[in-house]
Amino acid sequence: MPNHVGGNGSARFKLRGPHAKTVFKRMSLSSAMRPELAFLFEIKTETQFLEVVETKHPVGSAAYEQVKKAYRINESAFKHERRKSGEPYSRHSVRIALILMLYLDVWDPDLVVGALLHDIMEKHRNRWRYERLVREFNENAATHIAEMTRPKETRKLNKRAVDVLYHLQLAGARRYTKLLKGVDRWDNVLTMWKHTAKERAAKLVETWEFILPLIEEHDLEPFRKLSAGLRSSMELLATELANGDT
């Protein structure tokens, strides 16, 4: 496959989406933070990802095998799905896991599994239920994922009602599920350049009113560091909106 950056109409883009480095350049990320987060585009493959995991969890250990399984499930479950940026949907979850490990120094395998599979119950409700996740991993990892899963909209539950239920669910979630949600939201804020101004503004409002307070109620280093990064990206995104940037 040619290694040049193809446009949106190129064969390479249609197959795999934009290069990780192209995505990184577009992120709402300050110049001061970019060197420390360069791993977001440098680590692209399963082999590279597992080499990161191996630094804390030896090859063949239960923790290593658990994370490897979750990585492969994420890749398989979302192989036909794309984000608005054009990149594979699975890349979003991989970035959350990388931020958790390499930026926040959180290596608990259940949390890394939660990061990799945080959307799987919501996006594949019939195939991936809580009970299956308990069988495949354990109750702790499955609970992190369940707490991150947004309730389903129905005829009786419109989007506004589901938003309220989801906020209440997250408010009652365990401490480190809130950290996972914060990292998830940070990656969302980082990668919104294909969203409308209205969508970006709505995401900023929800993050300011609800997600940041969830993170900042915990005075622990990973939470403090995440809060600083998220706030920085929110300020950049808000500036882009104020300036009419697209």
Side-chain angles (χ1 to χ4, degrees):
M1 184 65 64
N3 60 10
H4 66 278
V5 177
N8 284 17
S10 71
R12 187 224 169 266
F13 185 94
K14 290 177 180 177
L15 180 62
R16 295 188 307 189
H19 283 288
K21 194 168 186 177
T22 302
V23 172
F24 186 72
K25 286 180 178 179
R26 294 296 306 272
M27 286 181 174
S28 299
L29 194 61
S30 71
S31 57
M33 296 187 71
R34 286 182 177 273
E36 195 173 0
L37 289 165
F39 60 81
L40 291 177
F41 76 85
E42 292 170 341
I43 298 170
K44 307 179 186 74
T45 67
E46 177 182 326
T47 297
Q48 291 173 314
F49 181 88
L50 292 177
E51 285 173 352
V52 171
V53 176
E54 185 184 346
T55 63
K56 297 292 183 179
H57 304 299
V59 175
S61 66
Y64 178 91
E65 295 301 324
Q66 177 174 300
V67 173
K68 181 172 74 173
K69 179 194 282 190
Y71 184 98
R72 292 179 175 177
I73 290 171
N74 174 52
E75 290 291 323
S76 176
F78 296 103
K79 64 183 176 181
H80 299 303
E81 298 179 50
R82 297 293 182 93
R83 304 186 81 217
K84 283 195 175 183
S85 62
E87 63 183 329
Y89 194 94
S90 60
R91 188 66 196 167
H92 163 62
S93 299
V94 170
R95 281 197 300 265
I96 295 173
L98 288 171
I99 291 171
L100 192 71
M101 293 185 289
L102 294 178
Y103 188 70
L104 301 179
D105 196 27
V106 175
W107 296 84
D108 183 299
D110 291 344
L111 288 168
V112 180
V113 169
L116 289 167
L117 300 180
H118 73 281
D119 275 337
I120 202 161
M121 285 179 64
E122 183 175 332
K123 301 291 186 181
H124 299 281
R125 293 181 188 273
N126 293 328
R127 291 170 51 202
W128 285 96
R129 299 178 185 272
Y130 177 80
E131 293 77 14
R132 182 178 179 184
L133 288 164
V134 171
R135 290 196 303 271
E136 295 283 353
F137 298 98
N138 57 60
E139 186 174 347
N140 190 41
T143 301
H144 283 306
I145 296 165
E147 289 178 333
M148 289 272 284
T149 300
R150 179 182 169 85
K152 185 178 181 180
E153 292 180 30
T154 66
R155 290 181 180 179
K156 294 183 178 180
L157 287 175
N158 60 20
K159 182 181 181 303
R160 181 173 294 183
V162 168
D163 284 344
V164 172
L165 289 175
Y166 188 45
H167 291 166
L168 289 171
Q169 177 177 303
L170 286 172
R174 295 175 304 171
R175 175 187 297 170
Y176 278 91
T177 298
K178 295 175 183 178
L179 185 75
L180 285 179
K181 182 59 190 178
V183 183
D184 173 39
R185 179 51 56 92
W186 190 14
D187 190 70
N188 291 151
V189 170
L190 287 171
T191 55
M192 295 200 74
W193 59 86
K194 288 285 187 179
H195 291 252
T196 66
K198 183 178 180 180
E199 288 170 334
R200 284 179 281 173
K203 189 70 71 175
L204 284 173
V205 169
E206 184 192 30
T207 305
W208 178 262
E209 292 182 346
F210 189 76
I211 304 300
L212 269 175
L214 285 180
I215 300 166
E216 294 176 349
E217 68 186 33
H218 300 291
D219 189 24
L220 298 169
E221 179 57 24
F223 292 85
R224 291 194 295 268
K225 194 170 185 180
L226 173 59
S227 172
L230 179 53
R231 280 178 173 272
S232 174
S233 294
M234 289 173 66
E235 289 171 7
L236 284 173
L237 186 57
T239 300
E240 292 167 8
L241 280 171
N243 293 336
D245 296 343
T246 59

